[in-house]
Amino acid sequence: TIVPTDRDPFDREDVMIGPVIYTVNEQFIKPVTAKAGNSSWALLLHPNGLPCDLFITHCWSEGIFEFVDKVCNSWPGESKHAYVCFLSNPQNLDISHLCANPQDSP
């Protein structure tokens, strides 16, 4: 169960915006993927990966229901699989060393 926090006091009855992606990541994606060996959500569901032909960006403070609604309503008909960072990247991975110096960051 995803619950409101001081940082994200979302309304549990709201079905339009929902909890922000940061909260969904902290309370759902990270715990589930940690129990499964710290893979990404995408690799948890598709261990061999899928070829992505669409890149989707998001805001960490965007509501998850709002995000899904936007994706579903703007999905190009010819696209099959999308890269979304919070689903495609392992969220339990410590990447602080990769971004310590932005000039050397990948």
Side-chain angles (χ1 to χ4, degrees), residues 88-102:
S88 301
N89 296 342
Q91 293 301 305
N92 293 305
L93 183 64
D94 179 10
I95 62 166
S96 59
H97 66 284
L98 294 175
C99 52
N101 184 355

Side-chain angles (χ1 to χ4, degrees), residues 21-34:
I21 292 172
Y22 175 83
T23 300
V24 173
N25 189 50
E26 290 297 315
Q27 294 185 26
F28 185 74
I29 293 172
K30 287 175 81 171
V32 170
T33 57

Side-chain angles (χ1 to χ4, degrees), residues 28-29 32-33 36 39-50 81-82 86-88:
F28 185 74
I29 293 172
V32 170
T33 57
S39 75
S40 70
W41 184 262
L43 288 176
L44 179 64
L45 298 181
H46 304 280
N48 294 322
L50 295 170
H81 308 111
F86 73 93
L87 300 172
S88 301

